[in-house]
């Protein structure tokens, strides 16, 4: 992952923090990815971004968000 793409993923995630994270549609519009693909790439971006660029509290918040969203059960179709 290049530095520019990592920066875009992290900036997007930070902008959506006040709203509990971006929804699937916003993720698709911004990156052309489904939510799982976005979370995988965001996780990788967080791992390769130095602390000088992203403070530890924000990094920890985003990592927790990725972890919780990745492990959340998906609703059944029609429910």
């Amino acid at each position: 992952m290049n530095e520019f793409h990592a920066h875009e993923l992290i900036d997007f995630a930070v902008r959506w923090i006040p709203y509990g994270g971006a929804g699937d549609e916003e993720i698709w519009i911004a990156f052309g990815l489904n939510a799982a693909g976005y979370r995988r790439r965001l996780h990788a971006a967080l791992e390769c971004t130095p602390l000088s660029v992203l403070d530890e509290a924000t990094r920890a918040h985003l990592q927790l968000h990725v972890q919780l969203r990745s492990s959340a059960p998906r609703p059944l179709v029609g429910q």
Side-chain angles (χ1 to χ4, degrees):
M1 171 176 307
N2 69 43
E3 187 177 323
F4 178 76
H5 190 64
H7 184 70
E8 281 193 342
L9 288 165
I10 291 170
D11 279 352
F12 180 82
V14 168
R15 283 195 311 272
W16 281 93
I17 285 174
Y19 310 103
D24 293 355
E25 187 173 328
E26 288 82 10
I27 293 167
W28 178 258
I29 291 168
F31 300 104
L33 296 169
N34 64 24
Y38 164 75
R39 286 191 300 270
R40 280 191 302 274
R41 290 186 186 193
L42 178 58
H43 176 74
L46 291 168
E47 293 295 313
C48 73
T49 301
L51 287 174
S52 60
V53 175
L54 184 65
D55 66 88
E56 188 59 39
T58 303
R59 180 188 307 272
H61 179 86
L62 292 175
Q63 286 173 328
L64 179 61
H65 178 76
V66 168
Q67 181 182 12
L68 292 175
R69 289 279 179 110
S70 296
S71 62
R74 294 192 170 271
L76 297 175
V77 174
Q79 288 189 346

